[in-house]
């Protein structure tokens, strides 16, 4: 695969030399010493070094060669010396490179492939190191000078400029040899419990390592032959470029081998990571399914902390804290990406910092940001830090501590997709609700401890009233209810319709002598347009109008009601609250305005033109209004109007928790066709 010349006959010849006896040789320390030797040499092959300069690499501290490697090398000294002599002898005699390589492979037959290459490189480092050491010291040390004279090394100085192509080729090949060797060694260090040598991609590596070892050892022979030729060189050699070309060709081949091995190694690491993440994922699932003494073990797994270093969380004051601060507490995991809105943070902040204290409930929030590690950049880093700085609860120090297995668990078990969710854990680490965010938006801290059972019990006590719909968004609501006023909530973005509707409705109320309060609740996902309309409503004193935050929260609570009901398996036909919520969301999805009237337990609602026409036709139902009241009369009038045509749409954001398969049209009661609608709006 590396070359057409590496035919099956040659591979069989190489494999026939391999007869390992099972001995283990830790080659890493030896390779470290070899690396130190060759790093001293190759960067200093220049005119300055050839004339006795020490070179900047001479200052490197060799203390990294450990005592273990010293002891190991002492035991292997004879073998390294034998290989060194073999290389020197064959190269001095001008032997065939392939034959010499096969001799070395036979000499090292009982060792593993990584050991064969490392021991051969060790022998080469001894020969090359001795030669280069004498060459560097010959101008300053009398002993080195005498040895250099006997070896005729001074001739190299005379032709130093001419020899540059030879040394450049030598340097490139040595570098390639070291890279392949390190790669081969890395394969041997892969954890066998996660990757087997008899299945891909490891089996592919096993098949190619012998070839890689052969060409690395053969490159050692070529380098040694080059050095031997330089020591005993003649003028003809100096002017020849064939030797440099041969080294360059080998370097190209060995670099190609390294590139191929690196690709296989990358696949091996991917395979190992997948196995580890699967193991971690199953471990997380097992932990959640096993009763715990407290929540410490679960939290350590979620935040990828260790018992030795459980400090990768930041407290509300942005200082590192021990995971122990969350032990045996109710923990709310706020799971989101970096697109969580400031409105969501502000509402949660109000619940966490103020209402929590007033309600005397004890829980902690921890932000679990789910991000794409591969796409992480400075922009995401700044966005993360900005969000982290405004969150008054616990956060991770950095999203990178959240392991892929945890991300997978949030998506596959807790159904996190895009929109934020809040997973609740009790003091023992048991998951009690896969998304309590709906409860927080609807009931706030009244829903504590935010369990699925608590959510169900809260719904049993609710009815479709203006109090549920508005909650604390309108400060005057309790007074209006006590005064038995008719309360009208309306929305849309057609200013002409708004002016006509508010004017006509107030005229009817005045004519009937009833108390009326009207509140403009805007439109979902139309912040800038709604802000402009709100300004005009206030300026012309048409009705009450909420600020941006209240408008956002009104629609967010409606969506939360729908998803909460859906999670509890309620059907449209028997659940009045769910049907009414879907009707209002459907109104908002249309191009028209809409209105809903409340008076005590009575309620009526309709879309823009229909409700406006009904108000403007007041004389037709005036008598009924004076007998049965405003809401009963207008409801009866609206029920008597048959629409020739209507178009009702329902726009819902993507969110976990599931969408109802059956939706009934608010206008005619027929089952609506189901489509997916995606909407993106920067406003």
């Amino acid at each position: 695969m590396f070359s057409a010349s590496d035919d099956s006959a040659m591979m069989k010849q190489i494999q026939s030399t391999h007869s390992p006896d099972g001995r283990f040789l830790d080659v890493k320390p030896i390779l470290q010493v070899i690396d130190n030797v060759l790093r001293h040499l190759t960067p200093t092959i220049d005119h300055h070094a050839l004339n006795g300069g020490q070179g900047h690499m001479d200052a490197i501290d060799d203390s990294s060669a450990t005592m273990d490697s010293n002891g190991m090398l002492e035991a292997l000294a004879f073998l390294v010396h034998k290989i060194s002599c073999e290389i020197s002898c064959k190269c001095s005699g001008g032997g065939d490179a392939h034959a010499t390589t096969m001799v070395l492979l036979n000499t090292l037959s009982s060792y593993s492939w990584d050991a064969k290459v490392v021991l051969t490189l060790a022998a080469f480092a001894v020969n090359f190191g001795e030669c280069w050491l004498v060459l560097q010291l010959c101008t300053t040390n009398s002993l080195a000078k005498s040895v250099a004279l006997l070896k005729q090394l001074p001739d190299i100085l005379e032709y130093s400029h001419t020899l540059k192509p030879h040394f450049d080729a030598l340097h490139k090949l040595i570098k390639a040899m070291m890279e392949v060797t390190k790669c081969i060694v890395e394969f041997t260090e892969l954890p066998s419990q996660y990757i087997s040598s008899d299945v891909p991609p490891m089996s592919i590596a096993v098949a190619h390592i012998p070839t890689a070892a052969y060409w690395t050892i053969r490159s050692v022979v070529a380098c040694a032959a080059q050095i031997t030729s330089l020591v005993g060189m003649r003028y003809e050699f100096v002017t020849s470029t064939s030797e440099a070309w041969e080294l360059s060709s080998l370097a190209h081949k060995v670099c190609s081998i390294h590139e191929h091995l690196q690709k296989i190694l990358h696949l091996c690491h991917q395979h190992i990571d997948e196995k580890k993440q699967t193991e971690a994922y199953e471990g997380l699932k097992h932990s959640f399914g096993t009763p715990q003494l407290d929540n410490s073990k679960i939290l350590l797994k979620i935040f990828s902390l260790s018992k030795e270093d459980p400090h990768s969380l930041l407290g509300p004051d942005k200082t590192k804290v021990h995971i122990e601060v969350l032990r045996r507490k109710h923990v709310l995991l706020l799971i989101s990406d970096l697109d969580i809105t400031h409105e969501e943070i502000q509402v949660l902040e109000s619940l966490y910092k103020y209402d929590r204290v007033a309600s005397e409930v004890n829980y902690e929030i921890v932000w679990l940001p789910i991000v794409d590690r591969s796409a992480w950049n400075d922009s995401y880093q700044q966005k993360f830090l900005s969000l982290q700085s405004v969150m008054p609860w616990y956060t991770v120090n950095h999203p990178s501590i959240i392991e892929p297995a945890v991300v997978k668990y949030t998506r596959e078990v807790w159904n996190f997709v895009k929109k934020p969710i809040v997973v609740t854990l009790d003091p023992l680490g048991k998951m009690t609700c896969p998304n309590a965010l709906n409860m927080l938006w609807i009931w706030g801290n009244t829903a504590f401890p935010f369990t699925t059972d608590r959510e169900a019990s809260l719904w049993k006590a609710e009815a479709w009233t203006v109090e549920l719909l508005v909650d604390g968004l309108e400060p005057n609501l309790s007074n209006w209810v006590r005064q038995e006023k008719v309360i009208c909530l309306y929305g849309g973005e057609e200013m002409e319709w708004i002016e006509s509707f508010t004017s006509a409705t107030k005229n009817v109320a005045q004519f009937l002598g009833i108390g009326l309060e009207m509140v403009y609740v805007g439109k979902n996902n139309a912040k800038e347009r709604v802000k402009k309309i709100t300004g005009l409503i206030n300026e012309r004193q048409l009705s009450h109008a909420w600020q941006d935050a209240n408008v956002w929260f009104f629609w967010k609570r409606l969506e939360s009601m729908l998803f909460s009901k859906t999670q509890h398996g309620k059907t449209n036909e028997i659940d009045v609250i769910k049907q009414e919520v879907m009707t209002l969301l459907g109104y908002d999805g249309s191009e028209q305005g809409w209105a809903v009237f409340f008076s005590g337990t009575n309620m009526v609602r309709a879309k823009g033109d229909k409700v406006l026409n009904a108000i403007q036709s007041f004389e037709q139902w005036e008598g009924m209004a004076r007998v049965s009241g405003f809401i009963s009369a207008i409801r009866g009038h609206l029920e008597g109007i048959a629409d020739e045509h209507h178009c009702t749409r329902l726009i819902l954001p993507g969110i976990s928790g599931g969408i109802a398969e059956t939706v009934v049209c608010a206008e005619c009661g027929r089952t609506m066709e189901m489509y997916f609608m995606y909407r993106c709006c920067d406003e």
Side-chain angles (χ1 to χ4, degrees):
M1 193 163 188
F2 298 131
S3 171
S5 62
D6 299 337
D7 55 25
S8 58
M10 179 178 172
M11 289 308 304
K12 288 179 181 178
Q13 188 181 10
I14 294 170
Q15 289 282 9
S16 68
T17 67
H18 189 55
S19 181
D21 57 10
R23 75 181 75 182
F24 170 74
L25 178 61
D26 184 7
V27 298
K28 284 293 287 290
I30 305 174
L31 189 58
Q32 188 176 16
V33 176
I34 296 169
D35 197 27
N36 283 341
V37 172
L38 298 182
R39 281 193 298 124
H40 274 71
L41 303 175
T42 52
T44 55
I45 298 176
D46 54 26
H47 180 69
H48 172 65
L50 290 171
N51 284 280
Q54 293 299 302
H56 68 277
M57 293 301 291
D58 285 356
I60 290 180
D61 182 11
D62 285 342
S63 60
S64 57
T66 64
M67 292 302 293
D68 288 342
S69 64
N70 291 338
M72 190 181 304
L73 287 171
E74 183 178 349
L76 296 169
F78 175 76
L79 180 59
V80 171
H81 178 70
K82 181 179 179 181
I83 298 170
S84 176
C85 292
E86 191 74 48
I87 293 173
S88 298
C89 179
K90 296 294 183 182
C91 292
S92 298
D96 175 70
H98 170 70
T100 303
T101 302
M102 296 307 297
V103 169
L104 295 176
L105 287 173
N106 279 301
T107 302
L108 296 163
S109 62
S110 59
Y111 289 90
S112 59
W113 290 108
D114 61 311
K116 296 180 202 290
V117 179
V118 171
L119 291 172
T120 304
L121 273 174
F124 170 71
V126 170
N127 287 351
F128 196 10
E130 288 176 349
C131 177
W132 196 249
L133 191 60
V134 171
L135 182 64
Q136 285 189 315
L137 297 177
C138 66
T139 59
T140 58
N141 183 284
S142 59
L143 176 60
K145 183 177 180 180
S146 299
V147 174
L149 286 170
L150 292 173
K151 286 180 170 285
Q152 288 296 292
L153 290 178
D155 289 349
I156 297 178
L157 303 180
E158 182 180 350
Y159 301 108
S160 58
H161 290 291
T162 310
L163 290 173
K164 188 176 186 305
H166 298 274
F167 281 121
D168 287 344
L170 194 62
H171 164 60
K172 185 177 180 181
L173 181 54
I174 290 174
K175 183 174 182 292
M177 286 156 40
M178 286 298 297
E179 287 175 341
V180 170
T181 303
K182 290 176 181 178
C183 197
I184 293 173
V185 172
E186 194 170 348
F187 276 111
T188 67
E189 296 177 328
L190 297 178
S192 58
Q193 68 269 33
Y194 296 114
I195 191 164
S196 174
S197 61
D198 56 358
V199 295
M202 192 62 185
S203 60
I204 301 173
V206 170
H208 289 107
I209 283 176
T211 305
Y214 168 83
W215 283 106
T216 304
I217 294 173
R218 182 160 170 171
S219 297
V220 169
V221 173
C223 289
Q226 175 83 341
I227 296 168
T228 301
S229 299
L230 287 173
V231 171
M233 70 179 182
R234 301 180 305 277
Y235 177 77
E236 296 80 21
F237 175 84
V238 173
T239 57
S240 172
T241 58
S242 60
E243 289 78 6
W245 180 87
E246 180 187 356
L247 293 185
S248 296
S249 298
L250 270 175
H252 177 74
K253 185 178 188 68
V254 176
C255 284
S256 297
I257 291 173
H258 176 252
E259 183 180 346
H260 185 68
L261 289 180
Q262 280 291 101
K263 290 178 181 178
I264 302 174
L265 188 61
H266 177 70
L267 293 175
C268 288
H269 283 301
Q270 280 187 328
H271 180 86
I272 292 168
D273 287 342
E274 289 171 4
K275 289 286 187 180
K276 286 183 176 180
Q277 294 309 321
T278 299
E279 182 180 83
Y281 178 74
E282 294 300 325
L284 192 59
K285 286 177 63 176
H286 180 266
S287 295
F288 271 109
T290 305
Q292 306 288 328
L293 296 176
D294 57 45
N295 57 3
S296 299
K297 182 178 179 180
I298 293 292
L299 293 174
L300 286 170
K301 284 181 176 290
I302 291 174
F303 297 105
S304 306
L305 306 177
S306 64
K307 291 182 179 180
E308 293 73 27
D309 184 27
H311 295 87
S312 292
L313 292 181
L314 297 185
D317 60 354
K318 308 311 172 193
T319 59
K320 281 191 175 183
V321 296
H322 196 286
I323 196 70
E324 188 70 15
V325 299
L326 300 175
R327 184 172 177 268
R328 287 191 172 273
K329 288 187 178 182
H330 290 274
V331 175
L332 276 58
L333 300 176
L334 172 60
I335 303 172
S336 77
D337 58 16
L338 299 184
D339 290 328
I340 183 172
T341 66
H342 285 283
E343 288 88 352
E344 288 167 316
I345 294 174
Q346 287 170 0
V347 175
L348 275 177
E349 179 181 14
S350 177
L351 293 172
Y352 178 75
K353 287 184 67 175
Y354 309 113
D355 293 353
R356 183 176 62 120
V357 177
S359 305
E360 297 183 349
V361 294
N362 186 21
Y363 64 84
E364 297 295 346
I365 298 177
V366 187
W367 183 35
L368 193 68
I370 304 299
V371 300
D372 182 359
R373 292 188 183 187
S374 63
W376 192 260
N377 54 34
D378 290 341
S379 175
Y380 289 141
Q381 175 71 9
Q382 292 304 314
K383 194 171 185 179
F384 165 74
L385 293 175
S386 176
L387 289 171
Q388 186 185 57
S389 67
V390 298
M391 291 183 175
W393 43 74
Y394 294 89
T395 65
V396 295
N397 188 34
H398 195 273
S400 61
I401 75 167
I402 303 170
E403 293 293 337
V406 177
V407 175
K408 180 181 179 182
Y409 195 88
T410 64
R411 297 191 186 282
E412 296 190 2
V413 179
W414 292 336
N415 298 316
F416 169 72
V417 180
K418 174 68 178 176
K419 296 293 183 180
I421 63 172
V422 169
V423 176
T424 58
L425 305 179
D426 70 8
L428 298 182
K430 180 182 178 182
M431 191 274 290
T432 55
C433 183
N435 187 10
L437 197 57
N438 297 324
M439 276 187 276
L440 285 163
W441 289 163
I442 301 168
W443 297 289
N445 288 318
T446 303
F448 181 82
F450 312 111
T451 64
T452 302
D453 291 341
R454 175 62 175 160
E455 187 175 15
S457 66
L458 286 169
W459 276 126
K460 288 180 181 179
E462 289 290 359
W464 182 243
T465 63
V466 68
E467 289 89 349
L468 173 64
L469 186 56
V470 175
D471 191 42
L473 296 173
E474 176 51 62
N476 300 307
L477 180 63
S478 58
N479 290 332
W480 296 345
V481 172
R482 187 171 59 253
Q483 295 167 9
E484 298 183 349
K485 289 186 175 183
V486 173
I487 301 168
C488 173
L489 306 179
Y490 70 96
E493 53 180 336
E494 294 180 358
M495 195 62 208
E496 183 178 350
W497 178 88
I498 291 173
E499 288 187 300
S500 300
F501 172 71
T502 54
S503 175
T505 305
K506 285 189 286 187
N507 288 337
V508 168
Q510 185 178 8
F511 195 82
L512 290 173
I514 61 174
L516 172 69
E517 298 292 346
M518 305 183 74
V519 181
Y520 175 66
V521 299
K523 185 176 178 65
N524 199 14
N525 296 322
K527 184 176 181 181
E528 294 304 319
R529 296 193 298 274
V530 168
K531 183 184 292 186
K532 183 178 179 180
I533 293 170
T534 298
L536 292 173
I537 291 173
N538 289 329
E539 180 184 334
R540 300 172 188 178
Q541 297 183 343
L542 301 179
S543 71
H544 299 280
W546 289 336
Q547 297 299 313
D548 297 345
N550 282 15
V551 171
W552 173 86
F553 194 42
F554 174 81
W555 294 106
K556 179 60 67 175
R557 288 184 72 250
L558 276 179
E559 291 173 357
S560 296
M561 290 179 195
L562 174 59
F563 291 123
S564 177
K565 285 286 187 179
T566 302
Q567 285 176 341
H568 283 273
K570 300 297 182 181
T571 61
N572 302 324
E573 292 76 14
I574 63 173
D575 195 309
V576 175
I577 293 177
K578 182 176 180 180
Q579 181 62 51
E580 292 300 329
V581 167
M582 294 183 72
T583 298
L584 293 186
L585 291 172
Y587 285 168
D588 185 64
S590 70
E591 300 300 328
Q592 300 183 34
W594 58 271
V596 55
F597 294 93
F598 287 92
S599 179
T601 58
N602 290 330
M603 182 275 299
V604 64
R605 41 43 177 192
K607 285 202 294 188
D609 289 342
K610 188 174 182 178
V611 71
L612 178 58
N613 291 335
I615 293 293
Q616 291 175 338
S617 303
F618 170 62
E619 69 279 357
Q620 298 179 20
W621 50 275
E622 177 185 354
M624 182 63 69
R626 294 192 183 279
V627 174
S628 59
F630 171 83
I631 288 185
S632 295
I634 194 173
R635 183 194 300 117
H637 181 75
L638 288 168
E639 288 174 352
I641 300 174
D643 290 336
E644 294 183 1
H645 173 75
H646 68 267
C647 180
T648 301
R649 293 184 298 165
L650 181 61
I651 300 176
L652 298 174
I655 193 168
S656 60
I659 299 297
E661 293 184 5
T662 303
V663 176
V664 176
C665 176
E667 298 296 323
C668 64
R670 291 182 299 180
T671 300
M672 301 172 71
E673 293 183 66
M674 184 172 67
Y675 291 85
F676 292 97
M677 178 176 287
Y678 295 91
R679 179 171 177 172
C680 178
C681 182
D682 291 333
E683 293 186 348

